[in-house]
Amino acid sequence: KQEVTQIPAALSVPEGENLVLNCSFTDSAIYNLQWFRQDPGKGLTSLLLIQSSQREQTSGRLNASLDKSSGRSTLYIAASQPGDSATYLCAAGKADSWGKLQFGAGTQVVVTP
Amino acid sequence: NAGVMQNPRHLVRRRGQEARLRCSPMKGHSHVYWYRQLPEEGLKFMVYLQKENIIDESGMPKERFSAEFPKEGPSILRIQQVVRGDSAAYFCASSPNGRYEQYFGPGTRLTVT
């Protein structure tokens, strides 16, 4: 059974610092890994999608890496801003159950001005 | 291109009533997924549907819950005889196919009194 873990559960950094968010998964047979952002009381915004054949994806200040052999993905957010404050979720799509994303519990990020 | 739409955004039901949650996928998307986020818990997969077909319902509670995605119209998640434990945020997502990026709606927050 796929289990997805996110560490740390919460993170507070001053504005301008880089953020490093970790996601680990127990079953390396995934077809993709997706990072989301969730603001309080709101839905999920997709940030980056990494296919299983890829090592990383970048979008603006965001960069996500994927290492299937070690069961890890890392989301880097450069030069954090107060607007980056949110909960960040990673979700793994397992190869033998298309469409079913397994979510981590999330990392709650606070960026202080 | 409008995003995934869900209605109602908030729904209050008394114990024993029925709840109907609607989801309209993004234009061109024929795959729909439902997830539930219980208070203080992570997102859990419920069901994956294509037009007129249930692909994976491994996350659906065995009783009282059903889902459909008819040929015409939105996908419906139906909860019969609601109980307090059904209070949660229900999110719908859509994608062009089962291996692509999933796009989430704003969610329906169900409160059972």
Side-chain angles (χ1 to χ4, degrees):
Chain A
K1 181 188 170 187
Q2 177 73 282
E3 291 188 5
V4 180
T5 305
Q6 290 187 248
I7 294 173
L11 184 60
S12 180
V13 298
E15 182 177 3
E17 272 200 14
N18 297 331
L19 284 163
V20 180
L21 308 178
N22 298 300
C23 172
S24 62
F25 44 93
T26 55
D27 188 340
S28 62
I30 62 170
Y31 63 85
N32 66 28
L33 189 130
Q34 209 167 338
W35 282 93
F36 296 90
R37 167 188 173 135
Q38 185 175 27
D39 293 283
K42 300 289 178 64
L44 277 68
T45 301
S46 179
L47 298 174
L48 289 167
L49 170 74
I50 312 176
Q51 299 288 358
S52 61
S53 58
Q54 297 174 315
R55 298 282 296 192
E56 67 176 340
Q57 277 285 353
T58 297
S59 176
R61 294 185 295 114
L62 276 60
N63 173 277
S65 66
L66 176 63
D67 184 343
K68 283 178 56 179
S69 61
S70 65
R72 290 181 186 173
S73 178
T74 303
L75 177 67
Y76 301 89
I77 303 177
S80 61
Q81 304 167 359
D84 294 329
S85 298
T87 296
Y88 291 82
L89 300 164
C90 70
K94 200 160 174 293
D96 61 357
S97 53
W98 288 12
K100 180 178 179 178
L101 290 180
Q102 185 78 26
F103 278 85
T107 295
Q108 187 174 12
V109 171
V110 174
V111 180
T112 55
Chain B
N1 186 7
V4 177
M5 295 195 294
Q6 291 187 248
N7 65 79
R9 296 290 305 277
H10 300 273
L11 182 62
V12 179
R13 286 286 178 265
R14 291 195 178 124
R15 278 182 297 171
Q17 290 185 320
E18 179 180 287
R20 281 186 179 238
L21 287 62
R22 295 175 188 78
C23 169
S24 296
M26 287 179 69
K27 188 176 180 181
H29 289 190
S30 58
H31 296 242
V32 165
Y33 319 85
W34 286 93
Y35 294 84
R36 177 165 69 171
Q37 189 171 39
L38 291 164
E40 307 305 322
E41 291 190 23
L43 273 149
K44 305 289 186 191
F45 168 83
M46 298 182 76
V47 62
Y48 165 24
L49 309 113
Q50 283 181 267
K51 289 281 188 181
E52 301 183 281
N53 285 308
I54 297 175
I55 307 302
D56 182 347
E57 57 181 347
S58 58
M60 287 280 271
K62 294 285 186 280
E63 298 176 349
R64 302 185 298 109
F65 285 72
S66 62
E68 63 175 4
F69 189 16
K71 188 176 180 181
E72 301 291 337
S75 174
I76 306 285
L77 179 67
R78 183 182 177 207
I79 311 171
Q80 294 178 290
Q81 298 177 320
V82 297
V83 301
R84 288 230 172 99
D86 297 332
S87 295
Y90 292 82
F91 291 97
C92 166
S94 73
S95 72
N97 74 37
R99 290 175 69 92
Y100 278 18
E101 189 170 3
Q102 293 186 18
Y103 295 87
F104 279 71
T108 293
R109 278 148 185 86
L110 172 66
T111 302
V112 179
T113 61

